[in-house]
Amino acid sequence: MSNLRIAVQKSGRLNEDSMRILKDIGISIENGKDQLKAAARNFPVEVFYLRNGDIPQYLKDGVVDAAIIGENVLIEKGADIEFVERLGFSKCKVSIAVPKESNANSLKDLDGQRIATSYPETVKKFLKEQNVNAQLHQINGSVEIAPNIGLADGICDIVSSGSTLFKNGLKEIEVLLKSEAVLAVSPLIDDERKAILKKIQFRIQSVLKARNSKYILLNAPNDKLDTILKLLPGMRSPTVLPLAEKGWSSVHTVIGKNKFWEIIDELKENGAEGILVCPIEKMVL
């Protein structure tokens, strides 16, 4: 069987999160930080450690079959490459920012002005859609310094927490797109490797569902049981077991993180007691 060749960023936060999810889906990779590639011990996969900006071209050329890459990079350098899964980490925005003392408060205010960016194709497309004319300066590296040295009136760069903008006296005035890590696929992948990728995708989905859910157990008075069950989503329906104490039942179910505290508050208001919350390692549906 051929190995699936999957690319990840050579270093940085995206590398750490990528290797973590591969580990979580049961793929054991030898330490390959100082190597171009490393093979898995227990799965037909080879991991290629590459510069983030080079990955889209490797996908186009079929040098690698898949990649964990930021959607923002894929949009900039590989708009014709498809991705099959959003991975929920390395979230950021591609935003336009200007000095805090600037009178510009919207993209329209930069018409005829200069914008420095590492994402020229993304910015060109967005400006065209918004009918704004601006002069672009392509910079590789510290884009945020451009306004301070008089090179540009504004910048377009990735924004995570916003701390870098704050430190450099910049304010965000426009968000071009929101991005996160995705699992991208080469258009040249063959059927054998595509089957391996499907198995990886299935495992990733199980891990992501688990990360976004909590398993809860609670005790409920039987006279409030119907009301409590209506509050609980569950994977199919909650599990209800009688307790040794008459008039009480134990309820087991799964709750999504995004609604967790609201549901917990409602459960307590309706008589639930002894609520236990447990992490979920995997969810295979």
Side-chain angles (χ1 to χ4, degrees):
M1 178 182 287
S2 301
N3 284 340
L4 179 81
R5 300 161 301 180
I6 184 167
V8 301
Q9 186 183 53
K10 184 171 179 60
S11 60
R13 178 65 182 274
L14 185 54
N15 168 274
E16 294 170 6
D17 288 337
S18 299
M19 299 312 295
R20 178 189 169 199
I21 199 165
L22 290 176
K23 181 180 178 181
D24 286 349
I25 65 173
I27 296 178
S28 299
I29 306 291
E30 297 288 353
N31 185 1
K33 284 192 174 182
D34 298 322
Q35 301 171 262
L36 172 63
K37 63 179 181 177
R41 296 194 300 268
N42 59 347
F43 201 80
V45 163
E46 282 183 302
V47 175
F48 283 60
Y49 300 93
L50 305 173
R51 286 179 53 195
N52 212 31
D54 294 338
I55 291 176
Q57 191 62 50
Y58 278 80
L59 287 166
K60 289 178 184 178
D61 294 342
V63 177
V64 295
D65 308 300
I68 298 175
I69 185 172
E71 187 181 3
N72 56 305
V73 178
L74 205 59
I75 290 171
E76 174 66 23
K77 296 190 173 183
D80 53 339
I81 298 173
E82 295 183 353
F83 65 85
V84 294
E85 199 72 45
R86 293 186 179 275
L87 301 178
F89 56 80
S90 294
K91 293 185 177 181
C92 65
K93 299 176 288 184
V94 176
S95 301
I96 290 178
V98 297
K100 288 181 179 177
E101 65 273 13
S102 171
N103 293 324
N105 293 302
S106 70
L107 181 63
K108 296 290 184 183
D109 294 331
L110 290 179
D111 194 66
Q113 302 295 303
R114 302 163 300 163
I115 300 174
T117 184
S118 299
Y119 297 90
E121 298 304 318
T122 302
V123 179
K124 279 180 194 174
K125 182 180 178 183
F126 189 76
L127 292 177
K128 185 176 180 181
E129 290 171 353
Q130 301 298 317
N131 197 28
V132 172
N133 294 310
Q135 181 182 351
L136 296 186
H137 289 278
Q138 184 173 350
I139 296 178
N140 295 318
S142 301
V143 176
E144 61 275 358
I145 199 174
N148 294 328
I149 61 175
L151 182 62
D153 302 292
I155 68 164
C156 182
D157 201 12
I158 58 170
V159 176
S160 296
S161 65
S163 61
T164 301
L165 294 184
F166 179 79
K167 289 175 184 177
N168 286 277
L170 300 171
K171 62 180 180 181
E172 182 183 79
I173 62 169
E174 188 82 32
V175 177
L176 279 65
L177 60 92
K178 293 183 179 180
S179 171
E180 64 184 278
V182 296
L183 180 62
V185 184
S186 168
L188 301 179
I189 189 172
D190 60 37
D191 289 340
E192 185 177 9
R193 291 187 172 100
K194 195 178 291 184
I196 300 171
L197 182 64
K198 283 285 187 184
K199 292 181 180 180
I200 288 177
Q201 188 181 355
F202 171 75
R203 293 188 183 190
I204 287 174
Q205 289 171 348
S206 298
V207 168
L208 294 181
K209 287 171 185 171
R211 286 182 183 178
N212 292 318
S213 304
K214 293 288 187 183
Y215 187 80
I216 70 165
L217 303 85
L218 59 90
N219 297 328
N222 288 345
D223 58 351
K224 296 286 187 67
L225 193 56
D226 288 343
T227 301
I228 287 173
L229 292 180
K230 288 176 183 177
L231 298 173
L232 298 172
M235 295 171 64
R236 185 180 295 274
S237 64
T239 299
V240 181
L241 301 170
L243 290 179
E245 183 179 348
K246 289 184 178 181
W248 285 81
S249 295
S250 174
V251 179
H252 302 209
T253 193
V254 174
I255 292 180
K257 282 185 179 179
N258 59 331
K259 297 181 179 178
F260 177 77
W261 286 112
E262 291 83 352
I263 292 176
I264 293 295
D265 288 341
E266 291 188 76
L267 290 172
K268 289 183 64 179
E269 290 173 5
N270 284 278
E273 297 180 1
I275 302 173
L276 301 180
V277 182
C278 308
I280 303 172
E281 186 174 331
K282 307 285 188 300
M283 280 181 66
V284 182
L285 302 179

